[in-house]
Amino acid sequence: KPHILYVVMDDQGYGDIGYTQQSNDIKTPFLDSLAAEGMILNRHYSAWLCTPTRASIMSGKYPIDLGIQHDVFSTNTDECLNEKELLLPEVVRHNGYATHLVGKWHLGYARWSCMPCKRGFDSAYGYVNGKTGYTDHIVGNYYDFYDCQTTKKDGFTWNILTQDAGIYSLYLYNRRVKQIIENHDPEQPLFLYLAMQSVHSSYYAPEKYYTCHDTKRCTMQAMLNAAEDLLQDTMGYFQKAGMWNNTLMVYHADNGAPPRNFTSNGFLRGYKASLWEGGVRTVGFLYSVNETIQSAKGQTDCYVHVSDWYRTIITASGGWDAYVNTTGLSPPTELDSIDQTGLLSDNSTCARDQIMLHIDPVKRVAGYFKGKYKLLIGDQDSTASCESSAYYPLDEGSIDFDIIQLFDIYADPYEESDISDDYPDIVKELKEDVIEYLSHQVPLQCQLPTVDGSYPNSKVPYYLPFDFRNFAPETVGRMFL
């Protein structure tokens, strides 16, 4: 069984990596070399925001099936990736893998049962919110940097890493990755989910990573230099342990870049939080030096949706037999994930010909791919926000069918020519498909109640106020639960 290194970049746009040739002001030589020697995924699609993407990775489902149609999980709410979902690390752990998370979680902390070490990870290290400071590790007015473990000896433990305040987070992730690999038995397969903080705001990197200072893109280049350092060191740790020759690396971004002049989507239209290509078409590639694991190289134009990594990694890790035999349960049946392991040996035979990209009943928009066509429904510039007391229908009333656009996404990747008037039959066919998916929606988690007077949720009291150094020693440190 191969070791699996799964890298998810945060907010890296299509113009924030060299190999896409979508910008001339960013250089990523290490990532470019891996992509050139691996399999570039030209049609890799994520959700428009990070929580929906991460939920799809972990559950194998579209966000509409999870109640995450509109926004990311907020602080101080009851939002959580539902505990009834069987998550990816739970399955691969049944296949004998050690499972570790380094970096960002952002799938809820309303209950301890929402936490990564309760959802299949042997350990997790990093932060639970959508962002935190790169050096102070503060989000809002609270400190968000932790580790957790699940062991036979101690059960579930949670440790607030107050001693790491003031240390650049990528240095901390580097140290943690090194510890995991050095302490790991190479004979046991390893699943390392490296959910990068880079290149999300706030935009920062240590001075040594800067090659220029005159534009915001200089800061982005510095952040990418730091990220490449971490990834190159990670590869070195695998090599030193004798594990790299039996490793499959999956790399992609969680969504497109935001419109802040630091990041870039190149020539793609739109930004993060939109259904235009700039919001959802993401950089991605597969890499392995072992041709037994990955014999196909080059590029593919096959559709890959982020939910597909669920089935793909489960298949690569040994399939469902161990889970079924151990638990007596059947695999989930209502999955949107499609097994893409075929791309490891053949980059021309596509497993997927359609993607239900998204449905948002708050903005009343939807996006759908079928064949070479992309259908956009509703006002793509809507700025509507979720209101806890509002009524959002989950049927045909949930999107605005009066506004429809159709694009030949292969011939027109920059979405410049709406051809809906020229192909009414195609519009009708794709619209009927979308209507069928409307029935899959579940109620919006963004309408769950806020926990008044508590940040974060008092049910999970692991945060510390930013002035934690003034608290008594017994209020910080390790909690056994």
Side-chain angles (χ1 to χ4, degrees), residues 162 464 468-478:
T162 56
L464 292 175
F468 64 85
R469 295 172 187 82
N470 297 326
F471 275 57
E474 60 268 19
T475 66
V476 300
R478 184 173 293 273

Side-chain angles (χ1 to χ4, degrees), residues 116-384:
C117 291
K118 293 283 192 176
R119 306 302 299 270
F121 285 104
D122 296 330
S123 79
Y125 177 97
Y127 58 109
V128 297
N129 272 291
K131 60 180 285 187
T132 194
Y134 280 90
T135 56
D136 60 15
H137 318 309
I138 290 171
V139 54
N141 291 321
Y142 284 77
Y143 187 81
D144 185 3
F145 211 75
Y146 75 97
D147 71 4
C148 67
Q149 296 188 44
T150 302
T151 64
K152 291 181 179 179
K153 178 182 178 182
D154 296 324
F156 173 63
T157 64
W158 186 276
N159 190 25
I160 307 165
L161 302 176
T162 56
Q163 68 272 21
D164 291 331
I167 303 176
Y168 181 49
S169 56
L170 270 67
Y171 297 160
L172 296 171
Y173 304 143
N174 193 315
R175 183 180 69 189
R176 177 60 175 165
V177 168
K178 183 180 181 182
Q179 289 171 344
I180 288 171
I181 295 173
E182 287 183 345
N183 294 327
H184 180 76
D185 179 0
E187 297 302 311
Q188 181 185 16
L190 170 66
F191 175 65
L192 177 56
Y193 177 47
L194 184 51
M196 299 282 285
Q197 188 171 353
S198 310
V199 289
H200 198 288
S201 63
S202 55
Y203 299 109
Y204 171 82
E207 178 61 29
K208 74 174 188 177
Y209 290 113
Y210 277 81
T211 55
C212 61
H213 291 86
D214 53 334
T215 68
K216 291 180 178 179
R217 293 293 275 169
C218 291
T219 298
M220 180 51 47
Q221 181 66 71
M223 294 176 74
L224 287 165
N225 291 342
E228 285 206 311
D229 253 16
L230 169 56
L231 294 173
Q232 195 159 8
D233 284 350
T234 297
M235 183 179 77
Y237 302 143
F238 272 87
Q239 290 172 328
K240 186 175 180 180
M243 297 166 58
W244 190 242
N245 289 342
N246 188 37
T247 295
L248 172 64
M249 179 179 178
V250 180
Y251 180 100
H252 66 80
D254 63 345
N255 45 248
R260 294 178 181 164
N261 298 322
F262 288 93
T263 49
S264 168
N265 292 312
F267 301 113
L268 298 183
R269 183 176 180 178
Y271 301 97
K272 173 182 178 179
S274 79
L275 296 178
W276 298 112
E277 292 292 276
V280 293
R281 184 177 172 186
T282 46
V283 298
F285 62 83
L286 298 169
Y287 176 84
S288 180
V289 297
N290 188 332
E291 292 198 357
T292 303
I293 297 172
Q294 180 188 352
S295 58
K297 309 290 183 180
Q299 303 184 26
T300 180
D301 286 323
C302 293
Y303 283 134
V304 178
H305 185 258
V306 69
S307 65
D308 296 343
W309 299 118
Y310 184 88
R311 282 195 189 273
T312 304
I313 289 174
I314 288 172
T315 298
S317 71
W320 287 97
D321 287 351
Y323 171 80
V324 172
N325 293 336
T326 303
T327 66
L329 302 173
S330 299
T333 55
E334 297 182 355
L335 295 176
D336 301 300
S337 179
I338 290 178
D339 186 354
Q340 297 279 4
T341 50
L343 289 177
L344 295 171
S345 57
D346 181 359
N347 62 1
S348 61
T349 302
C350 301
R352 178 187 280 279
D353 68 352
Q354 58 84 26
I355 299 174
M356 183 63 253
L357 189 58
H358 209 57
I359 298 170
D360 180 3
V362 178
K363 293 184 177 182
R364 302 190 68 216
V365 297
Y368 179 65
F369 291 100
K370 191 171 188 178
K372 65 180 182 178
Y373 296 106
K374 178 180 182 180
L375 185 71
L376 291 178
I377 303 172
D379 179 5
Q380 300 302 315
D381 295 322
S382 171
T383 58

Side-chain angles (χ1 to χ4, degrees), residues 12-49:
Q12 182 180 27
Y14 221 69
D16 295 330
I17 197 167
Y19 77 77
T20 62
Q21 299 181 337
Q22 291 279 310
S23 63
N24 59 9
D25 58 353
I26 289 294
K27 293 179 173 58
T28 53
F30 177 65
L31 291 173
D32 292 350
S33 67
L34 294 180
E37 297 169 12
M39 168 75 71
I40 295 174
L41 307 171
N42 288 326
R43 298 285 169 181
H44 185 276
Y45 287 92
S46 299
W48 62 2
L49 289 165

Side-chain angles (χ1 to χ4, degrees), residues 58 61 76 82 87 100 104 133 164 203 283 293 310 328 338 344 363 398 417 421 439 441 447 460:
M58 289 293 147
K61 294 184 176 182
N76 198 28
N82 198 307
L87 301 198
H100 300 279
K104 176 174 173 176
D164 291 331
Y203 299 109
V283 298
I293 297 172
Y310 184 88
I338 290 178
L344 295 171
K363 293 184 177 182
S398 64
S417 300
D421 290 341
S439 63
Q441 295 185 92
Q447 292 189 287
V460 186

